C-alpha cells in the first residue's frame, strides 16, 4: 500500500517558532482511525519519512 506523505508547519504561540508536522495518509477507502505518533523530545517529523515503510507494511497486513 502506498501512502501520501504531507509535511507542513503550523504557527503557534506555544513554542518559539512554527511547529513542524508530518501526516501519512493511507490509500484506503472509507473513514480511517486516527493514529498519533509522538516522537518525543529531540525528534523531528523526519522520523515519519524514514519509518514510512513500516507503517505502509502494517496497513497492508491489516495491523493498523
Amino acid at each position: 500500500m502506498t501512502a501520501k506523505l504531507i509535511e507542513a508547519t503550523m504557527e503557534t504561540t506555544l513554542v518559539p517558532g512554527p511547529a513542524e508536522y508530518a501526516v501519512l495518509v493511507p490509500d484506503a477507502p472509507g473513514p480511517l482511525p486516527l493514529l498519533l505518533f509522538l516522537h518525543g523530545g529531540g525528534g523531528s517529523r523526519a522520523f515519519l519519512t524514514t519509518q514510512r515503510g513500516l507503517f505502509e507494511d502494517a496497513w497492508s497486513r491489516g495491523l493498523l
Side-chain angles (χ1 to χ4, degrees), residues 28-33:
L32 299 168

Side-chain angles (χ1 to χ4, degrees), residues 28-42:
L32 299 168
L34 176 65
L35 173 66
L36 298 175
F37 187 80
L38 305 176
H39 56 70

Side-chain angles (χ1 to χ4, degrees), residues 5 7-8 10 14 25 27-28 38 45 48 51 54 63-64:
L5 180 67
E7 292 183 336
M10 174 178 56
L14 300 174
V25 182
D27 183 22
L38 305 176
R45 68 181 176 185
L48 187 56
Q51 302 302 311
L54 294 175
L63 300 174
L64 292 176

Side-chain angles (χ1 to χ4, degrees), residues 6-7 15 20 27 46 50 53 59 63:
I6 302 166
E7 292 183 336
V15 293
E20 296 181 336
D27 183 22
T50 61
W59 277 320
L63 300 174

